[in-house]
Amino acid sequence: MKEKVIVVMGASSGIGEATVRKIAERGAKLVISARREEKLKAIKDSLPNAQIKYKVADVAKFEEVKAVVDLAISKYGKIDVIYNNAGTMPSSYLIDCKLQDWHDMLHVNVLGVLHGIAAVLPHFVKQKSGHIITTDSVAGHYVYPGSVVYCATKSAIRAVMEGLRQEQRENNIKSSMVSPGAVRTDLYKTMKDEKLLEDQRKMQDTEGYGLNPEDIAEAVVYAINTPQHVSVSEVIVRPTKQSL
């Protein structure tokens, strides 16, 4: 992994931060991005021996995502992997008609991934190699009350990533999805429905609940480390006791 240049979007906490740390340990060159500059700077400062650049970006805005990719290429001369990890989950019931929350999820969870793809794909096609990784979710496989739109965004990403695989396999471009089950991160704090938020908070406080972000990061590192002729199209990582 030492020769790879890797961009991580949604890098400031949770799965993104855990992945950055594991990649840095293995000597890859990194460009990390999120909306919270103070978090990005803290990660960089905590890894003084790593080759890390950071840039603030909102994945819902293509030009900001492109600027992150352009930074990687200008600083390191190439890009090998992009990990589209940014996401939001302001879940609610359809009857509540939370239109702005729906728009936010579509822009971050779906367009954010498409923006990452659009930013790197011309470079990958030109160099006839590259790896696009996306965080999906068990929610992309199952629909459940209170999270219908979130589930829809994650289902959409499965279609996007499979289409990407089919369209770009002849260009030697790899695509991977990691679909976590329950994980102890701050994602649930983007919920705005008080009952759903409180239910999730209680689950987070339950001993033995969920995976650690590092568990998902290991799956991402595994996908990156596979040889060129091996492509991990999708992996679901659940807590052993999770029912859904």
Side-chain angles (χ1 to χ4, degrees):
M1 192 180 285
K2 286 185 177 181
E3 301 303 317
K4 290 187 182 294
V5 175
I6 300 173
V7 171
V8 180
M9 308 299 297
S12 60
S13 64
I15 293 168
E17 179 182 357
T19 302
V20 167
R21 294 186 181 282
K22 287 189 178 294
I23 291 171
E25 288 173 2
R26 290 159 174 79
K29 301 177 180 70
L30 279 154
V31 174
I32 63 176
S33 181
R35 289 180 293 183
R36 297 176 292 181
E37 183 172 10
E38 71 280 3
K39 294 279 190 178
L40 297 173
K41 184 178 185 301
I43 292 169
K44 176 180 168 58
D45 291 347
S46 70
L47 297 166
N49 296 321
Q51 297 186 73
I52 297 180
K53 306 292 182 182
Y54 69 84
K55 189 171 184 63
V56 173
D58 179 350
V59 297
K61 300 173 181 177
F62 171 69
E63 290 303 323
E64 294 188 12
V65 178
K66 183 177 182 296
V68 176
V69 170
D70 290 345
L71 173 64
I73 292 171
S74 67
K75 293 296 184 182
Y76 300 126
K78 64 168 184 171
I79 176 172
D80 298 294
V81 180
I82 186 169
Y83 179 27
N84 295 308
N85 176 65
T88 188
M89 190 176 65
S91 298
S92 61
Y93 294 95
L94 292 175
I95 190 62
D96 296 328
C97 299
K98 300 285 190 179
L99 297 180
Q100 188 58 55
D101 290 347
W102 298 352
H103 291 171
D104 291 345
M105 280 189 279
L106 287 166
H107 279 87
V108 174
N109 296 353
V110 181
L111 282 176
V113 171
L114 288 167
H115 290 162
I117 292 170
V120 298
L121 201 53
H123 300 286
F124 286 177
V125 169
K126 184 177 180 180
Q127 67 192 25
K128 295 296 181 183
S129 67
H131 193 174
I132 297 170
I133 307 174
T134 295
T135 301
D136 198 68
S137 173
V138 168
H141 299 257
Y142 301 96
V143 178
Y144 46 92
S147 292
V148 173
V149 177
Y150 179 72
C151 293
T153 64
K154 292 303 184 177
S155 295
I157 290 310
R158 292 182 65 208
V160 168
M161 293 300 287
E162 172 59 14
L164 173 68
R165 184 193 70 80
Q166 293 184 26
E167 289 185 0
Q168 295 299 329
R169 58 189 175 83
E170 294 295 339
N171 284 321
N172 211 32
I173 295 169
K174 300 168 69 169
S175 62
S176 301
M177 280 186 301
V178 178
S179 294
V183 184
R184 288 182 174 274
T185 72
D186 288 341
L187 180 63
Y188 81 94
K189 293 181 180 178
T190 63
M191 290 181 173
K192 297 177 183 178
D193 183 282
E194 288 300 325
K195 184 180 184 305
L196 292 172
L197 179 60
E198 182 59 28
D199 289 346
Q200 186 61 224
R201 186 180 290 117
K202 287 178 181 177
M203 284 192 287
Q204 292 275 338
D205 290 340
T206 302
E207 185 176 354
Y209 170 82
L211 301 171
N212 296 315
E214 291 78 12
D215 298 322
I216 308 303
E218 287 285 0
V220 177
V221 169
Y222 170 74
I224 293 172
N225 274 335
T226 53
Q228 183 57 49
H229 72 284
V230 176
S231 188
V232 179
S233 297
E234 182 174 9
V235 58
I236 300 176
V237 186
R238 291 184 179 93
T240 301
K241 293 183 178 182
Q242 181 172 325
S243 60
L244 190 64

